[in-house]
Amino acid sequence: MRFPVKKFFSYYKPYLTIFLSVLACAIIVSALTLVFPLLVRYITKDVLDGDLSTALSEVYWIGGLMLVLAVIQNIGNYFVDYKGHEIGARMESDMRRELFTHMQKLSFSFYDKEKTGQLMSRITHDLLLLSELYHHGPEDYIKYFVRFLGAFVILFFINAPLTITVFCFLPFLGVFALYFNKKLNKALRRNKERIGDVNVQVEDSLSGIRVVKSFANEQVERGADLLFSTVSIPKPHHFRRKLNNEMLFPLNSVFT
């Protein structure tokens, strides 16, 4: 089955303007992240090695500039997070409305084969994860690409041999990331299936609560292993973000 690329990107269309503004702000924030270690390097390498009589005033000036940049960066991060999640929530609402409309058109035979709890899990939990991908995916890839490219260029002009040596380890980190990403995706799929089974059990128990109470079977329902056997698995974009941070941010220390 081919991935519906056109359908996937069609949900961006109603929010394209605000989405592009979020990406532009993410680029600015990522670029500002690269400026801070450069300013610190300028202080330690140039200011303190020059005329010490004027060094204090330059340190104050650069410190003020860093404060201004920090304020701009925080405002940018707030805009990216707030508007990004707003776009994700609106897209999730659009997908849920469309999916519910589609499910109303399905035949009775479909509902004879499918469990209500599994369908509820598709509409709620799975769409939530998909909305996270919609607004965190492009945003994270843009930010890490800018930081990666900027770090490489800056480090290359500072010390080309050392930069090439450091970046030679990236293919090994890439293989490491791909390997564990596959294992994480398998675990996430199992977790989603387990959550669907839990929803099935909960829906069945609550819909028959009168029968359960009539026969005093509350203890039996509470003892169902299925309700307590789910495993919490971190979301893929959290794992990728953590791995990208470990790959890219240590390079900033080379600037100083």
Side-chain angles (χ1 to χ4, degrees):
M1 181 179 180
R2 297 180 58 185
F3 182 77
V5 178
K6 186 176 180 180
K7 181 66 175 177
F8 180 84
F9 288 106
S10 65
Y11 292 102
Y12 284 110
K13 189 174 182 180
Y15 317 103
L16 187 59
T17 302
I18 187 67
F19 176 69
L20 292 178
S21 64
V22 168
L23 292 184
C25 194
I27 293 175
I28 295 174
V29 170
S30 300
L32 289 178
T33 304
L34 299 171
V35 174
F36 287 101
L38 289 176
L39 292 176
V40 174
R41 181 177 184 273
Y42 174 73
I43 293 175
T44 56
K45 299 290 184 180
D46 298 329
V47 175
L48 297 182
D49 287 343
D51 187 4
L52 295 181
S53 61
T54 60
L56 186 60
S57 61
E58 288 193 57
V59 169
Y60 284 148
W61 184 83
I62 295 175
L65 177 61
M66 294 178 69
L67 287 177
V68 173
L69 293 179
V71 172
I72 296 175
Q73 187 179 39
N74 286 329
I75 294 175
N77 284 327
Y78 175 81
F79 180 82
V80 170
D81 290 339
Y82 183 83
K83 289 300 181 180
H85 282 88
E86 179 183 338
I87 294 173
R90 292 181 181 275
M91 295 173 72
E92 180 184 359
S93 177
D94 294 341
M95 289 185 290
R96 183 172 289 118
R97 187 182 301 109
E98 183 177 335
L99 180 58
F100 184 74
T101 302
H102 173 71
M103 292 178 67
Q104 287 181 312
K105 300 177 182 178
L106 297 176
S107 62
F108 291 129
S109 59
F110 172 81
Y111 293 100
D112 291 337
K113 295 182 293 183
E114 299 295 331
K115 298 179 181 179
T116 304
Q118 289 284 357
L119 298 178
M120 290 173 58
S121 179
R122 301 292 86 80
I123 296 178
T124 55
H125 182 259
D126 290 2
L127 284 184
L128 175 62
L129 295 181
L130 187 57
S131 68
E132 291 288 316
L133 170 65
Y134 266 114
H135 76 87
H136 275 304
E139 168 195 326
D140 286 348
Y141 279 116
I142 286 290
K143 289 195 296 186
Y144 293 130
F145 176 76
V146 171
R147 293 174 185 176
F148 178 86
L149 184 62
F152 178 81
V153 172
I154 294 171
L155 289 173
F156 187 83
F157 281 103
I158 293 175
N159 191 324
L162 181 60
T163 301
I164 296 175
T165 302
V166 170
F167 277 79
C168 282
F169 290 95
L170 290 180
F172 300 100
L173 294 176
V175 173
F176 172 83
L178 289 175
Y179 173 74
F180 282 99
N181 186 57
K182 289 182 179 179
K183 296 180 71 69
L184 184 68
N185 286 335
K186 291 180 181 179
L188 181 63
R189 179 179 292 274
R190 291 196 302 268
N191 189 51
K192 289 165 60 178
E193 294 174 353
R194 193 69 63 84
I195 290 175
D197 293 336
V198 170
N199 287 332
V200 171
Q201 181 68 32
V202 172
E203 189 271 336
D204 183 65
S205 298
L206 293 180
S207 62
I209 193 65
R210 294 181 182 273
V211 177
V212 173
K213 286 180 174 288
S214 299
F215 289 92
N217 280 342
E218 292 89 346
Q219 189 64 35
V220 176
E221 293 294 330
R222 285 197 299 268
D225 293 336
L226 182 60
L227 292 176
F228 306 101
S229 59
T230 55
V231 181
S232 178
I233 303 295
K235 298 177 181 178
H237 67 270
H238 290 164
F239 173 79
R240 296 189 188 103
R241 185 178 305 167
K242 184 174 184 241
L243 183 61
N244 286 333
N245 288 339
E246 293 174 354
M247 289 172 59
L248 295 181
F249 287 114
L251 299 178
N252 292 337
S253 61
V254 185
F255 295 164
T256 57

